[in-house]
Amino acid sequence: MNLTCRKVTEILVDFVDGSLPEEERDTLERHLCGCVPCAIYLRTYHDTIILTKSLPNVPLPPEFLTRLKTMFAKECGQQG
Amino acid sequence: MVSPTDEPLTPEVVFRDYVPRVYNLARRMLNNDADAEDATQDVLLQVVRKLDTFRGDAAFTTWLHRVTVNAALAVRRKRNRREEHRVHDPLENFTEEGQHSGFVRPWPKLPDNMVLDSEQHQLIEEAIGKLPETYRDVFVLADVQQLPNAEIAESLGLSLSAVKSRLHRARLMMRDALSRHYEERLS
């Protein structure tokens, strides 16, 4: 079975999360060995996941944090 | 992401471990600071009511994510402001025969322990903000918050296959958006 580059792109999500059936995975790996653009595409797809995963949380704006803490304390008091 | 702890949910624990996560999830889903503040406030009110019934464990974290998603979706509905950006479909970048229609250029090698500088941080946040909402919600929950697909499916009322399909499409759009920056860095 031959895969087109488009088909390779379509099944990358299953390849990356390890859910691609063995036969299809073998076919895809053979395609990647002979297709430089798809090999680069896979690497940059993977890099996209790594970069996103590295995204830090931004701190809450100080004014909002103060407001939130005041509201929280007040609500907790009412609950208690 | 901060691992769930087994500490009692004191106000200090809530503000240290959970509020930043709630605010950032809402902010990325809504792409608007003021809307994120409204959603965070709604979530906090619900947390107050549950404070005595939960510990800071996995069950609380799962519940909190779901409540945050619902709060963000409610704010979005209330605002009724759709700002859909036109995003090119990456699966159109192929010839009729299914080959890449243009050059696929490499990016510089990423370091093993990736720490984003402020330029990269801003670039990724902007690219997320430009994703159509349908794809953005799944992408933020899966690739930023690192939630399992099953939990995302339940939160958004989607099938597992719909989650994977949207996540994949979002990653392709993100890859295209980031390519413009990273390809330049190499050239």
Side-chain angles (χ1 to χ4, degrees), chain A residues 5-6 9-10 13-14 17 19 37-38 40-41 44-45 47-48 51-54 56-58 60-61 64 67 69 71-72 75 79, chain B residues 11 15 19 23-24 27-28 37 41 44-45 48 91 94 98 100 104-107 110 114 139 144 146 164 168 171-172 175 182:
Chain A
C5 300
R6 185 191 158 101
T9 304
E10 284 171 3
V13 66
D14 295 325
D17 73 14
S19 66
C38 279
I40 295 173
Y41 203 98
T44 52
Y45 181 88
D47 285 350
T48 302
L51 285 164
T52 310
K53 205 172 156 181
S54 316
N57 278 339
V58 299
L60 276 71
F64 174 56
R67 215 166 66 230
K69 282 184 171 170
M71 182 203 84
F72 190 78
E75 290 292 328
Q79 292 282 316
Chain B
F15 275 91
V19 168
Y23 174 72
N24 275 272
R27 184 171 168 270
R28 287 176 180 131
E37 291 183 8
Q41 206 161 307
L44 245 292
L45 288 173
V48 172
L91 288 175
F94 293 89
H100 295 277
V104 181
R105 296 186 172 86
W107 298 358
L110 299 181
M114 189 69 210
F139 183 77
V144 183
Q146 306 281 303
K164 276 187 83 166
H168 183 49
R171 284 177 179 166
L172 295 179
R175 194 209 77 89
Y182 285 102

Short mmCIF file of all heavy atoms in Angstrom, two decimals, chain A residues 5-6 9-10 13-14 17 19 37-38 40-41 44-45 47-48 51-54 56-58 60-61 64 67 69 71-72 75 79, chain B residues 11 15 19 23-24 27-28 37 41 44-45 48 91 94 98 100 104-107 110 114 139 144 146 164 168 171-172 175 182:
data_model
loop_
_atom_site.label_atom_id
_atom_site.label_comp_id
_atom_site.label_asym_id
_atom_site.label_seq_id
_atom_site.Cartn_x
_atom_site.Cartn_y
_atom_site.Cartn_z
N CYS A 5 1.39 12.03 0.25
CA CYS A 5 1.84 12.96 1.29
C CYS A 5 0.63 13.53 2.03
O CYS A 5 0.66 13.73 3.25
CB CYS A 5 2.64 14.10 0.67
SG CYS A 5 4.12 13.55 -0.20
N ARG A 6 -0.46 13.76 1.30
CA ARG A 6 -1.67 14.29 1.95
C ARG A 6 -2.20 13.29 2.97
O ARG A 6 -2.56 13.64 4.09
CB ARG A 6 -2.74 14.59 0.89
CG ARG A 6 -3.95 15.26 1.49
CD ARG A 6 -5.13 15.32 0.52
NE ARG A 6 -6.35 15.46 1.31
CZ ARG A 6 -6.99 16.60 1.50
NH1 ARG A 6 -6.57 17.69 0.92
NH2 ARG A 6 -8.07 16.65 2.25
N THR A 9 -0.18 13.31 6.07
CA THR A 9 -0.53 14.45 6.92
C THR A 9 -1.81 14.18 7.70
O THR A 9 -1.93 14.53 8.86
CB THR A 9 -0.70 15.71 6.04
OG1 THR A 9 0.50 15.89 5.29
CG2 THR A 9 -0.95 16.95 6.86
N GLU A 10 -2.77 13.51 7.04
CA GLU A 10 -4.05 13.25 7.70
C GLU A 10 -3.93 12.30 8.89
O GLU A 10 -4.70 12.39 9.84
CB GLU A 10 -5.05 12.66 6.68
CG GLU A 10 -5.60 13.70 5.73
CD GLU A 10 -6.42 13.08 4.60
OE1 GLU A 10 -6.61 11.85 4.59
OE2 GLU A 10 -6.87 13.84 3.74
N VAL A 13 -1.81 12.56 13.45
CA VAL A 13 -2.33 12.63 14.83
C VAL A 13 -2.32 11.24 15.46
O VAL A 13 -1.95 11.08 16.63
CB VAL A 13 -3.73 13.30 14.87
CG1 VAL A 13 -4.78 12.47 14.18
CG2 VAL A 13 -4.14 13.61 16.30
N ASP A 14 -2.68 10.22 14.68
CA ASP A 14 -2.69 8.84 15.21
C ASP A 14 -1.27 8.31 15.36
O ASP A 14 -0.96 7.56 16.28
CB ASP A 14 -3.49 7.92 14.28
CG ASP A 14 -4.96 8.30 14.24
OD1 ASP A 14 -5.48 8.73 15.29
OD2 ASP A 14 -5.57 8.20 13.17
N ASP A 17 0.23 9.93 18.57
CA ASP A 17 -0.28 9.42 19.87
C ASP A 17 -0.20 7.89 19.96
O ASP A 17 -0.67 7.30 20.94
CB ASP A 17 -1.68 9.96 20.18
CG ASP A 17 -2.79 9.34 19.34
OD1 ASP A 17 -2.57 8.30 18.69
OD2 ASP A 17 -3.91 9.89 19.36
N SER A 19 -1.64 5.54 18.21
CA SER A 19 -2.84 4.73 18.00
C SER A 19 -2.97 4.23 16.56
O SER A 19 -3.99 3.62 16.20
CB SER A 19 -4.09 5.54 18.39
OG SER A 19 -4.25 6.64 17.52
N PRO A 37 10.14 16.03 2.38
CA PRO A 37 9.13 17.00 2.85
C PRO A 37 8.24 16.43 3.97
O PRO A 37 7.95 17.12 4.93
CB PRO A 37 8.30 17.30 1.58
CG PRO A 37 9.22 16.98 0.46
CD PRO A 37 10.08 15.85 0.92
N CYS A 38 7.83 15.18 3.85
CA CYS A 38 6.96 14.61 4.89
C CYS A 38 7.74 14.41 6.19
O CYS A 38 7.17 14.59 7.29
CB CYS A 38 6.35 13.27 4.43
SG CYS A 38 4.92 13.51 3.37
N ILE A 40 10.16 16.31 7.24
CA ILE A 40 10.24 17.65 7.85
C ILE A 40 8.89 18.04 8.43
O ILE A 40 8.79 18.57 9.53
CB ILE A 40 10.69 18.70 6.79
CG1 ILE A 40 12.12 18.42 6.34
CG2 ILE A 40 10.59 20.11 7.37
CD1 ILE A 40 12.58 19.29 5.17
N TYR A 41 7.82 17.71 7.69
CA TYR A 41 6.47 18.05 8.15
C TYR A 41 6.19 17.39 9.49
O TYR A 41 5.69 18.02 10.43
CB TYR A 41 5.44 17.62 7.10
CG TYR A 41 4.14 18.37 7.19
CD1 TYR A 41 3.86 19.45 6.36
CD2 TYR A 41 3.17 18.01 8.13
CE1 TYR A 41 2.67 20.15 6.45
CE2 TYR A 41 1.98 18.71 8.23
CZ TYR A 41 1.74 19.77 7.38
OH TYR A 41 0.55 20.47 7.48
N THR A 44 8.17 19.13 12.28
CA THR A 44 7.64 20.45 12.66
C THR A 44 6.25 20.33 13.32
O THR A 44 5.89 21.14 14.16
CB THR A 44 7.59 21.40 11.44
OG1 THR A 44 6.90 20.76 10.37
CG2 THR A 44 8.97 21.78 10.98
N TYR A 45 5.50 19.29 12.95
CA TYR A 45 4.22 19.00 13.62
C TYR A 45 4.51 18.67 15.08
O TYR A 45 3.86 19.17 15.99
CB TYR A 45 3.56 17.81 12.91
CG TYR A 45 2.20 17.38 13.45
CD1 TYR A 45 1.02 17.95 12.97
CD2 TYR A 45 2.07 16.35 14.39
CE1 TYR A 45 -0.23 17.53 13.43
CE2 TYR A 45 0.83 15.94 14.85
CZ TYR A 45 -0.32 16.52 14.36
OH TYR A 45 -1.55 16.10 14.82
N ASP A 47 7.25 19.49 16.73
CA ASP A 47 7.78 20.71 17.37
C ASP A 47 6.65 21.65 17.82
O ASP A 47 6.75 22.32 18.84
CB ASP A 47 8.72 21.47 16.42
CG ASP A 47 10.07 20.78 16.28
OD1 ASP A 47 10.35 19.85 17.07
OD2 ASP A 47 10.85 21.17 15.39
N THR A 48 5.59 21.70 17.01
CA THR A 48 4.43 22.54 17.35
C THR A 48 3.85 22.09 18.70
O THR A 48 3.50 22.91 19.55
CB THR A 48 3.35 22.44 16.25
OG1 THR A 48 3.94 22.84 15.01
CG2 THR A 48 2.15 23.32 16.54
N LEU A 51 6.35 23.08 21.51
CA LEU A 51 6.33 24.53 21.77
C LEU A 51 5.08 24.91 22.57
O LEU A 51 5.16 25.68 23.53
CB LEU A 51 6.37 25.32 20.46
CG LEU A 51 7.72 25.37 19.76
CD1 LEU A 51 7.56 25.83 18.31
CD2 LEU A 51 8.67 26.32 20.49
N THR A 52 3.95 24.35 22.18
CA THR A 52 2.70 24.69 22.87
C THR A 52 2.72 24.20 24.31
O THR A 52 2.25 24.88 25.22
CB THR A 52 1.51 24.07 22.12
OG1 THR A 52 1.62 24.39 20.75
CG2 THR A 52 0.20 24.59 22.66
N LYS A 53 3.28 23.01 24.48
CA LYS A 53 3.37 22.42 25.81
C LYS A 53 4.24 23.28 26.74
O LYS A 53 4.09 23.25 27.96
CB LYS A 53 4.01 21.03 25.65
CG LYS A 53 3.69 20.04 26.71
CD LYS A 53 4.26 18.71 26.25
CE LYS A 53 4.52 17.79 27.40
NZ LYS A 53 5.10 16.52 26.95
N SER A 54 5.17 24.03 26.14
CA SER A 54 6.09 24.85 26.93
C SER A 54 5.50 26.19 27.34
O SER A 54 6.16 26.99 28.00
CB SER A 54 7.37 25.12 26.13
OG SER A 54 7.82 23.98 25.50
N PRO A 56 4.01 28.99 29.25
CA PRO A 56 3.77 29.19 30.69
C PRO A 56 2.44 29.89 30.93
O PRO A 56 1.90 30.53 30.03
CB PRO A 56 4.94 30.10 31.09
CG PRO A 56 5.24 30.87 29.85
CD PRO A 56 4.88 30.01 28.67
N ASN A 57 1.94 29.75 32.15
CA ASN A 57 0.76 30.52 32.52
C ASN A 57 1.16 31.97 32.73
O ASN A 57 2.22 32.25 33.29
CB ASN A 57 0.17 29.99 33.83
CG ASN A 57 -0.71 28.77 33.59
OD1 ASN A 57 -1.19 28.54 32.49
ND2 ASN A 57 -0.90 27.98 34.63
N VAL A 58 0.32 32.88 32.26
CA VAL A 58 0.60 34.30 32.54
C VAL A 58 0.02 34.64 33.91
O VAL A 58 -1.01 34.08 34.30
CB VAL A 58 0.02 35.25 31.46
CG1 VAL A 58 0.61 34.96 30.10
CG2 VAL A 58 -1.49 35.17 31.40
N LEU A 60 -2.01 36.58 36.83
CA LEU A 60 -3.25 37.37 36.81
C LEU A 60 -2.90 38.84 36.99
O LEU A 60 -1.98 39.16 37.75
CB LEU A 60 -4.17 36.94 37.95
CG LEU A 60 -5.06 35.72 37.72
CD1 LEU A 60 -4.26 34.45 37.69
CD2 LEU A 60 -6.15 35.66 38.78
N PRO A 61 -3.62 39.73 36.32
CA PRO A 61 -3.37 41.16 36.55
C PRO A 61 -3.54 41.46 38.04
O PRO A 61 -4.52 41.00 38.65
CB PRO A 61 -4.47 41.84 35.72
CG PRO A 61 -4.92 40.81 34.73
CD PRO A 61 -4.70 39.48 35.36
N PHE A 64 -6.94 42.62 39.36
CA PHE A 64 -7.96 41.57 39.30
C PHE A 64 -7.75 40.56 40.43
O PHE A 64 -8.70 40.12 41.07
CB PHE A 64 -7.91 40.88 37.93
CG PHE A 64 -8.83 39.69 37.82
CD1 PHE A 64 -10.20 39.83 38.06
CD2 PHE A 64 -8.34 38.44 37.47
CE1 PHE A 64 -11.06 38.74 37.97
CE2 PHE A 64 -9.19 37.34 37.38
CZ PHE A 64 -10.55 37.49 37.62
N ARG A 67 -9.07 41.95 43.61
CA ARG A 67 -10.53 41.92 43.58
C ARG A 67 -11.06 40.52 43.85
O ARG A 67 -12.00 40.31 44.61
CB ARG A 67 -10.98 42.41 42.20
CG ARG A 67 -12.27 43.20 42.22
CD ARG A 67 -12.51 43.95 40.93
NE ARG A 67 -12.74 43.11 39.78
CZ ARG A 67 -12.11 43.22 38.61
NH1 ARG A 67 -11.18 44.13 38.45
NH2 ARG A 67 -12.40 42.42 37.61
N LYS A 69 -9.52 38.02 45.39
CA LYS A 69 -9.26 37.58 46.75
C LYS A 69 -10.28 38.17 47.72
O LYS A 69 -10.76 37.49 48.63
CB LYS A 69 -7.83 37.95 47.18
CG LYS A 69 -6.79 37.01 46.59
CD LYS A 69 -5.40 37.31 47.09
CE LYS A 69 -4.43 36.21 46.64
NZ LYS A 69 -3.05 36.52 46.87
N MET A 71 -13.33 39.12 46.94
CA MET A 71 -14.61 38.45 46.67
C MET A 71 -14.63 37.05 47.30
O MET A 71 -15.59 36.64 47.93
CB MET A 71 -14.81 38.34 45.16
CG MET A 71 -16.13 37.70 44.77
SD MET A 71 -16.07 36.99 43.11
CE MET A 71 -15.34 35.41 43.45
N PHE A 72 -13.50 36.36 47.16
CA PHE A 72 -13.38 34.99 47.68
C PHE A 72 -13.54 34.99 49.20
O PHE A 72 -14.30 34.18 49.76
CB PHE A 72 -12.01 34.43 47.27
CG PHE A 72 -11.83 32.97 47.52
CD1 PHE A 72 -12.39 32.02 46.67
CD2 PHE A 72 -11.10 32.52 48.61
CE1 PHE A 72 -12.21 30.67 46.90
CE2 PHE A 72 -10.92 31.17 48.84
CZ PHE A 72 -11.48 30.23 47.99
N GLU A 75 -17.17 35.72 50.13
CA GLU A 75 -18.06 34.58 49.86
C GLU A 75 -17.83 33.45 50.86
O GLU A 75 -18.77 32.81 51.31
CB GLU A 75 -17.84 34.07 48.42
CG GLU A 75 -18.34 35.00 47.35
CD GLU A 75 -19.86 35.13 47.34
OE1 GLU A 75 -20.54 34.14 47.67
OE2 GLU A 75 -20.36 36.23 47.03
N GLN A 79 -20.47 31.75 53.42
CA GLN A 79 -20.72 30.29 53.42
C GLN A 79 -20.61 29.74 54.84
O GLN A 79 -21.34 28.86 55.24
CB GLN A 79 -19.72 29.57 52.52
CG GLN A 79 -19.89 29.86 51.05
CD GLN A 79 -21.05 29.08 50.45
OE1 GLN A 79 -21.20 27.90 50.71
NE2 GLN A 79 -21.87 29.75 49.66
N PRO B 11 -7.97 28.60 51.07
CA PRO B 11 -7.89 29.70 50.11
C PRO B 11 -6.49 29.85 49.52
O PRO B 11 -6.34 30.12 48.32
CB PRO B 11 -8.27 30.92 50.94
CG PRO B 11 -9.17 30.38 52.00
CD PRO B 11 -8.64 29.01 52.32
N PHE B 15 -5.67 29.70 45.48
CA PHE B 15 -5.04 30.81 44.74
C PHE B 15 -3.67 30.45 44.20
O PHE B 15 -3.26 30.91 43.14
CB PHE B 15 -4.99 32.08 45.60
CG PHE B 15 -6.26 32.86 45.51
CD1 PHE B 15 -7.29 32.62 46.41
CD2 PHE B 15 -6.47 33.76 44.48
CE1 PHE B 15 -8.49 33.32 46.31
CE2 PHE B 15 -7.67 34.46 44.37
CZ PHE B 15 -8.69 34.23 45.29
N VAL B 19 -6.22 28.93 40.72
CA VAL B 19 -6.70 30.15 40.06
C VAL B 19 -5.90 30.49 38.78
O VAL B 19 -6.50 30.81 37.76
CB VAL B 19 -6.74 31.34 41.06
CG1 VAL B 19 -6.95 32.65 40.33
CG2 VAL B 19 -7.86 31.13 42.07
N TYR B 23 -7.73 30.92 35.15
CA TYR B 23 -7.64 32.18 34.40
C TYR B 23 -7.00 31.97 33.03
O TYR B 23 -7.49 32.47 32.01
CB TYR B 23 -6.84 33.20 35.22
CG TYR B 23 -6.58 34.49 34.49
CD1 TYR B 23 -7.61 35.41 34.27
CD2 TYR B 23 -5.31 34.80 34.01
CE1 TYR B 23 -7.37 36.59 33.59
CE2 TYR B 23 -5.06 35.98 33.32
CZ TYR B 23 -6.10 36.88 33.11
OH TYR B 23 -5.86 38.04 32.43
N ASN B 24 -5.92 31.21 33.01
CA ASN B 24 -5.21 31.00 31.74
C ASN B 24 -6.02 30.16 30.76
O ASN B 24 -6.01 30.43 29.56
CB ASN B 24 -3.84 30.39 31.98
CG ASN B 24 -2.80 31.45 32.31
OD1 ASN B 24 -2.18 32.01 31.42
ND2 ASN B 24 -2.66 31.78 33.59
N ARG B 27 -8.73 32.50 29.50
CA ARG B 27 -8.14 33.55 28.67
C ARG B 27 -7.80 33.02 27.27
O ARG B 27 -8.01 33.70 26.26
CB ARG B 27 -6.89 34.07 29.37
CG ARG B 27 -6.21 35.23 28.70
CD ARG B 27 -5.12 35.78 29.62
NE ARG B 27 -4.27 36.71 28.91
CZ ARG B 27 -3.18 36.34 28.25
NH1 ARG B 27 -2.81 35.07 28.24
NH2 ARG B 27 -2.45 37.24 27.62
N ARG B 28 -7.28 31.81 27.24
CA ARG B 28 -6.92 31.25 25.92
C ARG B 28 -8.14 30.81 25.14
O ARG B 28 -8.17 30.93 23.91
CB ARG B 28 -5.92 30.11 26.10
CG ARG B 28 -4.54 30.66 26.49
CD ARG B 28 -3.52 29.61 26.77
NE ARG B 28 -2.25 30.25 27.12
CZ ARG B 28 -1.51 29.93 28.17
NH1 ARG B 28 -1.88 28.97 28.98
NH2 ARG B 28 -0.39 30.58 28.41
N GLU B 37 -11.58 37.28 32.93
CA GLU B 37 -11.80 37.68 34.33
C GLU B 37 -13.22 37.32 34.76
O GLU B 37 -13.43 36.80 35.86
CB GLU B 37 -11.53 39.18 34.49
CG GLU B 37 -10.05 39.52 34.33
CD GLU B 37 -9.73 40.98 34.56
OE1 GLU B 37 -10.62 41.73 35.00
OE2 GLU B 37 -8.57 41.38 34.32
N GLN B 41 -14.08 34.61 37.72
CA GLN B 41 -14.91 35.01 38.86
C GLN B 41 -16.08 34.03 39.04
O GLN B 41 -16.36 33.60 40.16
CB GLN B 41 -15.44 36.42 38.60
CG GLN B 41 -15.75 37.19 39.83
CD GLN B 41 -15.81 38.68 39.53
OE1 GLN B 41 -14.89 39.25 38.95
NE2 GLN B 41 -16.92 39.29 39.89
N LEU B 44 -14.73 30.83 40.52
CA LEU B 44 -14.37 30.99 41.94
C LEU B 44 -15.61 30.88 42.84
O LEU B 44 -15.56 30.27 43.91
CB LEU B 44 -13.70 32.35 42.15
CG LEU B 44 -12.23 32.34 42.57
CD1 LEU B 44 -12.05 31.81 43.97
CD2 LEU B 44 -11.39 31.50 41.61
N LEU B 45 -16.71 31.47 42.39
CA LEU B 45 -17.95 31.40 43.18
C LEU B 45 -18.41 29.94 43.34
O LEU B 45 -18.89 29.54 44.40
CB LEU B 45 -19.06 32.23 42.52
CG LEU B 45 -18.89 33.74 42.61
CD1 LEU B 45 -19.94 34.46 41.78
CD2 LEU B 45 -18.97 34.21 44.06
N VAL B 48 -16.10 28.16 45.89
CA VAL B 48 -16.43 28.47 47.29
C VAL B 48 -17.47 27.48 47.81
O VAL B 48 -17.36 26.95 48.91
CB VAL B 48 -16.97 29.92 47.42
CG1 VAL B 48 -17.49 30.18 48.82
CG2 VAL B 48 -15.88 30.91 47.07
N LEU B 91 -4.81 21.36 4.79
CA LEU B 91 -4.94 20.19 3.92
C LEU B 91 -5.21 20.58 2.46
O LEU B 91 -5.40 19.72 1.60
CB LEU B 91 -6.03 19.25 4.45
CG LEU B 91 -5.64 18.51 5.74
CD1 LEU B 91 -6.80 17.68 6.28
CD2 LEU B 91 -4.42 17.60 5.51
N PHE B 94 -1.83 20.69 -1.00
CA PHE B 94 -1.39 19.48 -1.71
C PHE B 94 -1.88 19.51 -3.14
O PHE B 94 -2.92 20.13 -3.43
CB PHE B 94 -1.92 18.22 -1.00
CG PHE B 94 -1.32 18.03 0.37
CD1 PHE B 94 -1.91 18.62 1.48
CD2 PHE B 94 -0.14 17.33 0.54
CE1 PHE B 94 -1.34 18.49 2.74
CE2 PHE B 94 0.44 17.18 1.80
CZ PHE B 94 -0.16 17.77 2.90
N GLY B 98 -1.89 14.46 -4.42
CA GLY B 98 -1.65 14.25 -2.99
C GLY B 98 -0.23 14.54 -2.56
O GLY B 98 0.19 14.13 -1.47
N HIS B 100 2.94 17.39 -1.65
CA HIS B 100 3.06 18.76 -1.16
C HIS B 100 3.14 19.71 -2.34
O HIS B 100 3.94 19.49 -3.25
CB HIS B 100 4.32 18.91 -0.30
CG HIS B 100 4.27 18.10 0.96
ND1 HIS B 100 3.63 18.54 2.11
CD2 HIS B 100 4.77 16.88 1.28
CE1 HIS B 100 3.74 17.63 3.06
NE2 HIS B 100 4.42 16.61 2.59
N VAL B 104 8.51 22.35 1.83
CA VAL B 104 8.31 22.19 3.28
C VAL B 104 9.69 22.43 3.89
O VAL B 104 10.62 21.65 3.68
CB VAL B 104 7.79 20.79 3.64
CG1 VAL B 104 7.58 20.68 5.14
CG2 VAL B 104 6.50 20.49 2.89
N ARG B 105 9.82 23.54 4.60
CA ARG B 105 11.14 23.92 5.10
C ARG B 105 11.31 23.52 6.56
O ARG B 105 10.35 23.59 7.34
CB ARG B 105 11.35 25.43 4.96
CG ARG B 105 11.36 25.88 3.52
CD ARG B 105 11.72 27.35 3.40
NE ARG B 105 11.91 27.73 2.01
CZ ARG B 105 10.92 28.09 1.20
NH1 ARG B 105 9.68 28.13 1.65
NH2 ARG B 105 11.16 28.41 -0.05
N PRO B 106 12.53 23.14 6.92
CA PRO B 106 12.77 22.75 8.32
C PRO B 106 12.80 23.97 9.25
O PRO B 106 12.92 25.10 8.79
CB PRO B 106 14.14 22.07 8.28
CG PRO B 106 14.81 22.63 7.08
CD PRO B 106 13.75 23.02 6.10
N TRP B 107 12.66 23.71 10.54
CA TRP B 107 12.80 24.73 11.58
C TRP B 107 14.13 24.48 12.29
O TRP B 107 14.68 23.38 12.23
CB TRP B 107 11.68 24.63 12.62
CG TRP B 107 10.30 24.84 12.12
CD1 TRP B 107 9.90 25.15 10.85
CD2 TRP B 107 9.09 24.73 12.90
NE1 TRP B 107 8.53 25.25 10.79
CE2 TRP B 107 8.02 25.00 12.03
CE3 TRP B 107 8.83 24.46 14.23
CZ2 TRP B 107 6.68 24.98 12.46
CZ3 TRP B 107 7.51 24.43 14.66
CH2 TRP B 107 6.45 24.70 13.78
N LEU B 110 14.93 22.44 18.20
CA LEU B 110 14.51 22.96 19.50
C LEU B 110 15.41 22.38 20.59
O LEU B 110 15.80 21.21 20.51
CB LEU B 110 13.06 22.57 19.80
CG LEU B 110 11.97 23.07 18.84
CD1 LEU B 110 10.60 22.60 19.32
CD2 LEU B 110 11.98 24.58 18.73
N MET B 114 12.85 22.97 26.58
CA MET B 114 12.36 24.17 25.91
C MET B 114 11.87 25.22 26.92
O MET B 114 11.00 24.95 27.73
CB MET B 114 11.20 23.75 25.00
CG MET B 114 10.71 24.81 24.07
SD MET B 114 11.93 25.16 22.81
CE MET B 114 11.60 26.87 22.49
N PHE B 139 -7.83 22.49 21.13
CA PHE B 139 -6.36 22.64 21.13
C PHE B 139 -5.85 23.10 22.49
O PHE B 139 -4.87 22.56 23.02
CB PHE B 139 -5.94 23.64 20.04
CG PHE B 139 -4.46 23.80 19.92
CD1 PHE B 139 -3.69 22.84 19.29
CD2 PHE B 139 -3.82 24.90 20.47
CE1 PHE B 139 -2.31 22.97 19.20
CE2 PHE B 139 -2.45 25.05 20.38
CZ PHE B 139 -1.70 24.08 19.74
N VAL B 144 -2.31 22.59 25.42
CA VAL B 144 -1.81 23.54 26.42
C VAL B 144 -2.06 22.99 27.83
O VAL B 144 -1.15 22.86 28.63
CB VAL B 144 -2.44 24.94 26.27
CG1 VAL B 144 -1.85 25.91 27.29
CG2 VAL B 144 -2.26 25.48 24.86
N GLN B 146 -3.01 19.95 28.52
CA GLN B 146 -2.59 18.54 28.57
C GLN B 146 -3.68 17.63 29.17
O GLN B 146 -3.37 16.69 29.93
CB GLN B 146 -1.31 18.39 29.42
CG GLN B 146 -0.17 19.29 28.98
CD GLN B 146 0.54 18.72 27.76
OE1 GLN B 146 1.02 17.61 27.78
NE2 GLN B 146 0.58 19.48 26.70
N LYS B 164 -10.30 14.31 18.36
CA LYS B 164 -9.02 14.06 17.67
C LYS B 164 -8.96 14.79 16.33
O LYS B 164 -7.93 15.33 15.94
CB LYS B 164 -8.83 12.55 17.47
CG LYS B 164 -8.23 11.89 18.68
CD LYS B 164 -7.87 10.45 18.42
CE LYS B 164 -6.53 10.31 17.74
NZ LYS B 164 -6.03 8.92 17.78
N HIS B 168 -6.23 17.66 15.56
CA HIS B 168 -5.30 17.51 14.45
C HIS B 168 -5.34 18.73 13.53
O HIS B 168 -4.32 19.29 13.15
CB HIS B 168 -5.63 16.24 13.68
CG HIS B 168 -4.68 15.96 12.56
ND1 HIS B 168 -3.32 15.99 12.72
CD2 HIS B 168 -4.90 15.65 11.25
CE1 HIS B 168 -2.74 15.71 11.55
NE2 HIS B 168 -3.68 15.51 10.65
N ARG B 171 -3.67 21.63 15.18
CA ARG B 171 -2.20 21.53 15.16
C ARG B 171 -1.64 21.87 13.78
O ARG B 171 -0.59 22.51 13.67
CB ARG B 171 -1.78 20.10 15.51
CG ARG B 171 -1.89 19.77 16.99
CD ARG B 171 -1.52 18.33 17.20
NE ARG B 171 -1.56 17.93 18.59
CZ ARG B 171 -1.54 16.67 18.99
NH1 ARG B 171 -1.47 15.68 18.10
NH2 ARG B 171 -1.56 16.37 20.27
N LEU B 172 -2.35 21.45 12.73
CA LEU B 172 -1.87 21.77 11.37
C LEU B 172 -1.90 23.29 11.15
O LEU B 172 -0.98 23.85 10.56
CB LEU B 172 -2.73 21.06 10.32
CG LEU B 172 -2.71 19.53 10.29
CD1 LEU B 172 -3.64 19.00 9.21
CD2 LEU B 172 -1.30 18.99 10.06
N ARG B 175 0.89 24.76 13.16
CA ARG B 175 2.18 24.48 12.50
C ARG B 175 2.41 25.47 11.36
O ARG B 175 3.49 26.03 11.21
CB ARG B 175 2.20 23.04 11.96
CG ARG B 175 3.59 22.53 11.57
CD ARG B 175 3.55 21.49 10.47
NE ARG B 175 3.31 22.12 9.17
CZ ARG B 175 4.26 22.59 8.35
NH1 ARG B 175 5.53 22.44 8.65
NH2 ARG B 175 3.95 23.19 7.21
N TYR B 182 9.48 30.36 12.31
CA TYR B 182 10.63 29.49 12.51
C TYR B 182 11.42 29.23 11.22
O TYR B 182 12.62 29.03 11.26
CB TYR B 182 10.20 28.18 13.17
CG TYR B 182 9.91 28.40 14.64
CD1 TYR B 182 8.61 28.51 15.09
CD2 TYR B 182 10.94 28.56 15.55
CE1 TYR B 182 8.33 28.76 16.43
CE2 TYR B 182 10.68 28.81 16.89
CZ TYR B 182 9.38 28.91 17.32
OH TYR B 182 9.13 29.16 18.64
#
